[in-house]
Amino acid sequence: MDREEKDYILEKVMIEYGDELARLAFSYVKDSETAKDMVQNTFIKCYKNLGSYRFEAQIKTWLYRIIINECKDYLKSWNHRMVQVRSLISETSKTILPSTEKTVLDQYHRKEMKENVFALPKMYREVIYLYYYNSLNTEEIAVILNVPVNTVKTRLRRAKQKLGTVIKEGELSGR
């Protein structure tokens, strides 16, 4: 594969999947700038390995697998742990600016749902994100996560049950 062909494919892939990959990375690292870095690293790896890509699987699933591995490696890194400590310190020093009641309530509900999803164990959070936010089917998720399709279905069902329980508990406690 010559350079022009690789450049063309990479440009096409960046346009088509860039936003999806950024959202997926954000679901792991929970920071938009870091997520953008993960996407950039993914495209670099894609470009470097495009010559060896066999086009047996969809390029989308290949990119998803790359970015998930990038995110998992980052979350294990020392750098990530230091960023968490710094952000915790800066959050405690910020002041809250007043806003309208509706905006506050909307933000609260979105934040609460996001926290409920992010509170799930990683194996459930992955399938929820890929299924609902990226509209992937269970077969595609199985390929990306390198697990059997039935495992994806089970994780999806259990994740829904856990979210349902948490939401009902919140309604009963009057949150």
Side-chain angles (χ1 to χ4, degrees), residues 40-63:
Q40 186 175 16
N41 292 345
T42 298
F43 287 136
I44 290 169
K45 284 186 177 181
C46 172
Y47 186 80
K48 286 180 179 178
N49 296 305
L50 208 49
S52 63
Y53 180 65
R54 296 181 306 258
F55 294 94
E56 291 174 0
Q58 287 186 14
I59 199 158
K60 180 179 182 177
T61 57
W62 182 52
L63 291 170

PDB file of all heavy atoms in Angstrom, residues 40-63:
ATOM      1  N   GLN A  40      -5.989  10.569  18.940  1.00  0.00           N
ATOM      2  CA  GLN A  40      -4.821  10.867  18.116  1.00  0.00           C
ATOM      3  C   GLN A  40      -3.854   9.677  18.102  1.00  0.00           C
ATOM      4  O   GLN A  40      -3.356   9.280  17.047  1.00  0.00           O
ATOM      5  CB  GLN A  40      -4.121  12.115  18.645  1.00  0.00           C
ATOM      6  CG  GLN A  40      -2.981  12.586  17.775  1.00  0.00           C
ATOM      7  CD  GLN A  40      -2.387  13.899  18.263  1.00  0.00           C
ATOM      8  OE1 GLN A  40      -2.610  14.327  19.387  1.00  0.00           O
ATOM      9  NE2 GLN A  40      -1.624  14.529  17.396  1.00  0.00           N
ATOM     10  N   ASN A  41      -3.611   9.092  19.269  1.00  0.00           N
ATOM     11  CA  ASN A  41      -2.738   7.911  19.341  1.00  0.00           C
ATOM     12  C   ASN A  41      -3.306   6.758  18.519  1.00  0.00           C
ATOM     13  O   ASN A  41      -2.565   6.010  17.872  1.00  0.00           O
ATOM     14  CB  ASN A  41      -2.549   7.464  20.793  1.00  0.00           C
ATOM     15  CG  ASN A  41      -1.742   8.454  21.601  1.00  0.00           C
ATOM     16  OD1 ASN A  41      -1.094   9.333  21.066  1.00  0.00           O
ATOM     17  ND2 ASN A  41      -1.802   8.316  22.914  1.00  0.00           N
ATOM     18  N   THR A  42      -4.620   6.615  18.562  1.00  0.00           N
ATOM     19  CA  THR A  42      -5.278   5.557  17.790  1.00  0.00           C
ATOM     20  C   THR A  42      -5.063   5.763  16.295  1.00  0.00           C
ATOM     21  O   THR A  42      -4.741   4.811  15.575  1.00  0.00           O
ATOM     22  CB  THR A  42      -6.781   5.513  18.122  1.00  0.00           C
ATOM     23  OG1 THR A  42      -6.934   5.207  19.508  1.00  0.00           O
ATOM     24  CG2 THR A  42      -7.500   4.476  17.285  1.00  0.00           C
ATOM     25  N   PHE A  43      -5.223   6.989  15.829  1.00  0.00           N
ATOM     26  CA  PHE A  43      -5.026   7.255  14.408  1.00  0.00           C
ATOM     27  C   PHE A  43      -3.564   7.077  13.991  1.00  0.00           C
ATOM     28  O   PHE A  43      -3.286   6.647  12.872  1.00  0.00           O
ATOM     29  CB  PHE A  43      -5.543   8.641  14.031  1.00  0.00           C
ATOM     30  CG  PHE A  43      -7.043   8.723  13.997  1.00  0.00           C
ATOM     31  CD1 PHE A  43      -7.706   9.800  14.558  1.00  0.00           C
ATOM     32  CD2 PHE A  43      -7.805   7.726  13.409  1.00  0.00           C
ATOM     33  CE1 PHE A  43      -9.097   9.876  14.522  1.00  0.00           C
ATOM     34  CE2 PHE A  43      -9.186   7.785  13.371  1.00  0.00           C
ATOM     35  CZ  PHE A  43      -9.829   8.868  13.921  1.00  0.00           C
ATOM     36  N   ILE A  44      -2.649   7.393  14.883  1.00  0.00           N
ATOM     37  CA  ILE A  44      -1.226   7.163  14.589  1.00  0.00           C
ATOM     38  C   ILE A  44      -0.963   5.671  14.430  1.00  0.00           C
ATOM     39  O   ILE A  44      -0.321   5.237  13.470  1.00  0.00           O
ATOM     40  CB  ILE A  44      -0.329   7.782  15.693  1.00  0.00           C
ATOM     41  CG1 ILE A  44      -0.385   9.314  15.613  1.00  0.00           C
ATOM     42  CG2 ILE A  44       1.111   7.291  15.567  1.00  0.00           C
ATOM     43  CD1 ILE A  44       0.235  10.022  16.797  1.00  0.00           C
ATOM     44  N   LYS A  45      -1.498   4.879  15.363  1.00  0.00           N
ATOM     45  CA  LYS A  45      -1.319   3.426  15.268  1.00  0.00           C
ATOM     46  C   LYS A  45      -2.004   2.882  14.019  1.00  0.00           C
ATOM     47  O   LYS A  45      -1.485   1.975  13.366  1.00  0.00           O
ATOM     48  CB  LYS A  45      -1.866   2.734  16.513  1.00  0.00           C
ATOM     49  CG  LYS A  45      -0.965   2.886  17.703  1.00  0.00           C
ATOM     50  CD  LYS A  45      -1.441   2.085  18.887  1.00  0.00           C
ATOM     51  CE  LYS A  45      -0.447   2.239  20.021  1.00  0.00           C
ATOM     52  NZ  LYS A  45      -0.809   1.476  21.192  1.00  0.00           N
ATOM     53  N   CYS A  46      -3.165   3.426  13.709  1.00  0.00           N
ATOM     54  CA  CYS A  46      -3.889   3.004  12.508  1.00  0.00           C
ATOM     55  C   CYS A  46      -3.031   3.255  11.271  1.00  0.00           C
ATOM     56  O   CYS A  46      -2.874   2.367  10.430  1.00  0.00           O
ATOM     57  CB  CYS A  46      -5.209   3.760  12.408  1.00  0.00           C
ATOM     58  SG  CYS A  46      -6.119   3.506  10.869  1.00  0.00           S
ATOM     59  N   TYR A  47      -2.467   4.438  11.186  1.00  0.00           N
ATOM     60  CA  TYR A  47      -1.658   4.798  10.013  1.00  0.00           C
ATOM     61  C   TYR A  47      -0.433   3.889   9.898  1.00  0.00           C
ATOM     62  O   TYR A  47      -0.119   3.392   8.821  1.00  0.00           O
ATOM     63  CB  TYR A  47      -1.226   6.265  10.103  1.00  0.00           C
ATOM     64  CG  TYR A  47      -0.512   6.747   8.864  1.00  0.00           C
ATOM     65  CD1 TYR A  47      -1.232   7.107   7.737  1.00  0.00           C
ATOM     66  CD2 TYR A  47       0.869   6.842   8.821  1.00  0.00           C
ATOM     67  CE1 TYR A  47      -0.594   7.550   6.590  1.00  0.00           C
ATOM     68  CE2 TYR A  47       1.517   7.280   7.685  1.00  0.00           C
ATOM     69  CZ  TYR A  47       0.783   7.638   6.569  1.00  0.00           C
ATOM     70  OH  TYR A  47       1.419   8.064   5.442  1.00  0.00           O
ATOM     71  N   LYS A  48       0.234   3.677  11.029  1.00  0.00           N
ATOM     72  CA  LYS A  48       1.440   2.849  11.014  1.00  0.00           C
ATOM     73  C   LYS A  48       1.142   1.405  10.614  1.00  0.00           C
ATOM     74  O   LYS A  48       1.959   0.749   9.986  1.00  0.00           O
ATOM     75  CB  LYS A  48       2.123   2.861  12.385  1.00  0.00           C
ATOM     76  CG  LYS A  48       2.831   4.150  12.699  1.00  0.00           C
ATOM     77  CD  LYS A  48       3.478   4.085  14.064  1.00  0.00           C
ATOM     78  CE  LYS A  48       4.227   5.368  14.385  1.00  0.00           C
ATOM     79  NZ  LYS A  48       4.817   5.329  15.731  1.00  0.00           N
ATOM     80  N   ASN A  49      -0.020   0.900  11.010  1.00  0.00           N
ATOM     81  CA  ASN A  49      -0.343  -0.505  10.785  1.00  0.00           C
ATOM     82  C   ASN A  49      -1.323  -0.729   9.635  1.00  0.00           C
ATOM     83  O   ASN A  49      -1.777  -1.850   9.434  1.00  0.00           O
ATOM     84  CB  ASN A  49      -0.911  -1.125  12.066  1.00  0.00           C
ATOM     85  CG  ASN A  49       0.105  -1.122  13.177  1.00  0.00           C
ATOM     86  OD1 ASN A  49       1.209  -1.641  13.020  1.00  0.00           O
ATOM     87  ND2 ASN A  49      -0.229  -0.514  14.305  1.00  0.00           N
ATOM     88  N   LEU A  50      -1.639   0.315   8.906  1.00  0.00           N
ATOM     89  CA  LEU A  50      -2.597   0.195   7.809  1.00  0.00           C
ATOM     90  C   LEU A  50      -2.109  -0.764   6.731  1.00  0.00           C
ATOM     91  O   LEU A  50      -2.900  -1.486   6.140  1.00  0.00           O
ATOM     92  CB  LEU A  50      -2.874   1.573   7.206  1.00  0.00           C
ATOM     93  CG  LEU A  50      -4.224   1.803   6.566  1.00  0.00           C
ATOM     94  CD1 LEU A  50      -5.368   1.354   7.461  1.00  0.00           C
ATOM     95  CD2 LEU A  50      -4.402   3.263   6.222  1.00  0.00           C
ATOM     96  N   GLY A  51      -0.815  -0.809   6.517  1.00  0.00           N
ATOM     97  CA  GLY A  51      -0.256  -1.716   5.520  1.00  0.00           C
ATOM     98  C   GLY A  51      -0.450  -3.180   5.881  1.00  0.00           C
ATOM     99  O   GLY A  51      -0.590  -4.041   5.006  1.00  0.00           O
ATOM    100  N   SER A  52      -0.498  -3.477   7.186  1.00  0.00           N
ATOM    101  CA  SER A  52      -0.669  -4.868   7.607  1.00  0.00           C
ATOM    102  C   SER A  52      -2.133  -5.219   7.901  1.00  0.00           C
ATOM    103  O   SER A  52      -2.441  -6.377   8.180  1.00  0.00           O
ATOM    104  CB  SER A  52       0.181  -5.143   8.851  1.00  0.00           C
ATOM    105  OG  SER A  52      -0.248  -4.342   9.927  1.00  0.00           O
ATOM    106  N   TYR A  53      -3.025  -4.221   7.856  1.00  0.00           N
ATOM    107  CA  TYR A  53      -4.444  -4.482   8.089  1.00  0.00           C
ATOM    108  C   TYR A  53      -4.996  -5.300   6.928  1.00  0.00           C
ATOM    109  O   TYR A  53      -4.810  -4.970   5.767  1.00  0.00           O
ATOM    110  CB  TYR A  53      -5.217  -3.165   8.234  1.00  0.00           C
ATOM    111  CG  TYR A  53      -6.692  -3.344   8.482  1.00  0.00           C
ATOM    112  CD1 TYR A  53      -7.147  -3.938   9.655  1.00  0.00           C
ATOM    113  CD2 TYR A  53      -7.628  -2.948   7.552  1.00  0.00           C
ATOM    114  CE1 TYR A  53      -8.494  -4.110   9.888  1.00  0.00           C
ATOM    115  CE2 TYR A  53      -8.977  -3.116   7.769  1.00  0.00           C
ATOM    116  CZ  TYR A  53      -9.403  -3.700   8.941  1.00  0.00           C
ATOM    117  OH  TYR A  53     -10.748  -3.871   9.170  1.00  0.00           O
ATOM    118  N   ARG A  54      -5.665  -6.417   7.245  1.00  0.00           N
ATOM    119  CA  ARG A  54      -6.114  -7.367   6.228  1.00  0.00           C
ATOM    120  C   ARG A  54      -7.531  -7.124   5.733  1.00  0.00           C
ATOM    121  O   ARG A  54      -8.023  -7.824   4.871  1.00  0.00           O
ATOM    122  CB  ARG A  54      -5.990  -8.787   6.777  1.00  0.00           C
ATOM    123  CG  ARG A  54      -4.563  -9.188   7.077  1.00  0.00           C
ATOM    124  CD  ARG A  54      -4.491 -10.606   7.588  1.00  0.00           C
ATOM    125  NE  ARG A  54      -5.356 -10.836   8.725  1.00  0.00           N
ATOM    126  CZ  ARG A  54      -4.953 -10.892   9.986  1.00  0.00           C
ATOM    127  NH1 ARG A  54      -3.689 -10.742  10.277  1.00  0.00           N
ATOM    128  NH2 ARG A  54      -5.792 -11.135  10.953  1.00  0.00           N
ATOM    129  N   PHE A  55      -8.242  -6.162   6.299  1.00  0.00           N
ATOM    130  CA  PHE A  55      -9.613  -5.820   5.912  1.00  0.00           C
ATOM    131  C   PHE A  55     -10.552  -7.019   6.037  1.00  0.00           C
ATOM    132  O   PHE A  55     -11.534  -7.118   5.320  1.00  0.00           O
ATOM    133  CB  PHE A  55      -9.659  -5.237   4.484  1.00  0.00           C
ATOM    134  CG  PHE A  55      -8.959  -3.904   4.379  1.00  0.00           C
ATOM    135  CD1 PHE A  55      -7.633  -3.824   3.994  1.00  0.00           C
ATOM    136  CD2 PHE A  55      -9.638  -2.749   4.703  1.00  0.00           C
ATOM    137  CE1 PHE A  55      -6.983  -2.604   3.919  1.00  0.00           C
ATOM    138  CE2 PHE A  55      -8.994  -1.516   4.627  1.00  0.00           C
ATOM    139  CZ  PHE A  55      -7.670  -1.455   4.229  1.00  0.00           C
ATOM    140  N   GLU A  56     -10.239  -7.948   6.970  1.00  0.00           N
ATOM    141  CA  GLU A  56     -11.138  -9.075   7.231  1.00  0.00           C
ATOM    142  C   GLU A  56     -12.293  -8.633   8.119  1.00  0.00           C
ATOM    143  O   GLU A  56     -13.410  -9.081   7.955  1.00  0.00           O
ATOM    144  CB  GLU A  56     -10.368 -10.223   7.888  1.00  0.00           C
ATOM    145  CG  GLU A  56      -9.379 -10.888   6.960  1.00  0.00           C
ATOM    146  CD  GLU A  56      -8.525 -11.936   7.664  1.00  0.00           C
ATOM    147  OE1 GLU A  56      -8.704 -12.151   8.880  1.00  0.00           O
ATOM    148  OE2 GLU A  56      -7.683 -12.532   6.986  1.00  0.00           O
ATOM    149  N   ALA A  57     -11.993  -7.783   9.079  1.00  0.00           N
ATOM    150  CA  ALA A  57     -13.027  -7.246   9.958  1.00  0.00           C
ATOM    151  C   ALA A  57     -13.296  -5.802   9.532  1.00  0.00           C
ATOM    152  O   ALA A  57     -12.524  -5.217   8.775  1.00  0.00           O
ATOM    153  CB  ALA A  57     -12.556  -7.274  11.407  1.00  0.00           C
ATOM    154  N   GLN A  58     -14.390  -5.238  10.039  1.00  0.00           N
ATOM    155  CA  GLN A  58     -14.667  -3.842   9.739  1.00  0.00           C
ATOM    156  C   GLN A  58     -13.586  -2.984  10.366  1.00  0.00           C
ATOM    157  O   GLN A  58     -13.127  -3.261  11.474  1.00  0.00           O
ATOM    158  CB  GLN A  58     -16.019  -3.435  10.309  1.00  0.00           C
ATOM    159  CG  GLN A  58     -17.193  -3.994   9.575  1.00  0.00           C
ATOM    160  CD  GLN A  58     -18.496  -3.416  10.119  1.00  0.00           C
ATOM    161  OE1 GLN A  58     -18.501  -2.435  10.858  1.00  0.00           O
ATOM    162  NE2 GLN A  58     -19.594  -4.031   9.741  1.00  0.00           N
ATOM    163  N   ILE A  59     -13.211  -1.935   9.697  1.00  0.00           N
ATOM    164  CA  ILE A  59     -12.166  -1.052  10.216  1.00  0.00           C
ATOM    165  C   ILE A  59     -12.643  -0.381  11.503  1.00  0.00           C
ATOM    166  O   ILE A  59     -11.856  -0.095  12.393  1.00  0.00           O
ATOM    167  CB  ILE A  59     -11.714  -0.026   9.155  1.00  0.00           C
ATOM    168  CG1 ILE A  59     -10.346   0.536   9.533  1.00  0.00           C
ATOM    169  CG2 ILE A  59     -12.744   1.055   8.946  1.00  0.00           C
ATOM    170  CD1 ILE A  59      -9.579   1.122   8.389  1.00  0.00           C
ATOM    171  N   LYS A  60     -13.950  -0.194  11.623  1.00  0.00           N
ATOM    172  CA  LYS A  60     -14.528   0.414  12.824  1.00  0.00           C
ATOM    173  C   LYS A  60     -14.219  -0.431  14.065  1.00  0.00           C
ATOM    174  O   LYS A  60     -13.791   0.096  15.090  1.00  0.00           O
ATOM    175  CB  LYS A  60     -16.036   0.558  12.634  1.00  0.00           C
ATOM    176  CG  LYS A  60     -16.771   1.173  13.784  1.00  0.00           C
ATOM    177  CD  LYS A  60     -18.255   1.271  13.437  1.00  0.00           C
ATOM    178  CE  LYS A  60     -19.058   1.907  14.515  1.00  0.00           C
ATOM    179  NZ  LYS A  60     -20.473   2.043  14.127  1.00  0.00           N
ATOM    180  N   THR A  61     -14.416  -1.732  13.964  1.00  0.00           N
ATOM    181  CA  THR A  61     -14.145  -2.589  15.123  1.00  0.00           C
ATOM    182  C   THR A  61     -12.658  -2.634  15.435  1.00  0.00           C
ATOM    183  O   THR A  61     -12.264  -2.703  16.599  1.00  0.00           O
ATOM    184  CB  THR A  61     -14.679  -4.021  14.899  1.00  0.00           C
ATOM    185  OG1 THR A  61     -14.105  -4.556  13.713  1.00  0.00           O
ATOM    186  CG2 THR A  61     -16.185  -4.036  14.795  1.00  0.00           C
ATOM    187  N   TRP A  62     -11.826  -2.570  14.408  1.00  0.00           N
ATOM    188  CA  TRP A  62     -10.379  -2.537  14.612  1.00  0.00           C
ATOM    189  C   TRP A  62      -9.997  -1.264  15.364  1.00  0.00           C
ATOM    190  O   TRP A  62      -9.229  -1.309  16.325  1.00  0.00           O
ATOM    191  CB  TRP A  62      -9.678  -2.611  13.254  1.00  0.00           C
ATOM    192  CG  TRP A  62      -8.181  -2.646  13.292  1.00  0.00           C
ATOM    193  CD1 TRP A  62      -7.389  -3.496  14.014  1.00  0.00           C
ATOM    194  CD2 TRP A  62      -7.290  -1.798  12.570  1.00  0.00           C
ATOM    195  NE1 TRP A  62      -6.060  -3.229  13.767  1.00  0.00           N
ATOM    196  CE2 TRP A  62      -5.972  -2.184  12.879  1.00  0.00           C
ATOM    197  CE3 TRP A  62      -7.472  -0.757  11.677  1.00  0.00           C
ATOM    198  CZ2 TRP A  62      -4.852  -1.565  12.345  1.00  0.00           C
ATOM    199  CZ3 TRP A  62      -6.359  -0.140  11.134  1.00  0.00           C
ATOM    200  CH2 TRP A  62      -5.068  -0.543  11.469  1.00  0.00           C
ATOM    201  N   LEU A  63     -10.551  -0.127  14.958  1.00  0.00           N
ATOM    202  CA  LEU A  63     -10.271   1.142  15.631  1.00  0.00           C
ATOM    203  C   LEU A  63     -10.786   1.133  17.071  1.00  0.00           C
ATOM    204  O   LEU A  63     -10.116   1.633  17.977  1.00  0.00           O
ATOM    205  CB  LEU A  63     -10.904   2.302  14.861  1.00  0.00           C
ATOM    206  CG  LEU A  63     -10.295   2.620  13.502  1.00  0.00           C
ATOM    207  CD1 LEU A  63     -11.165   3.616  12.748  1.00  0.00           C
ATOM    208  CD2 LEU A  63      -8.884   3.144  13.641  1.00  0.00           C
TER     209      LEU A  63
END
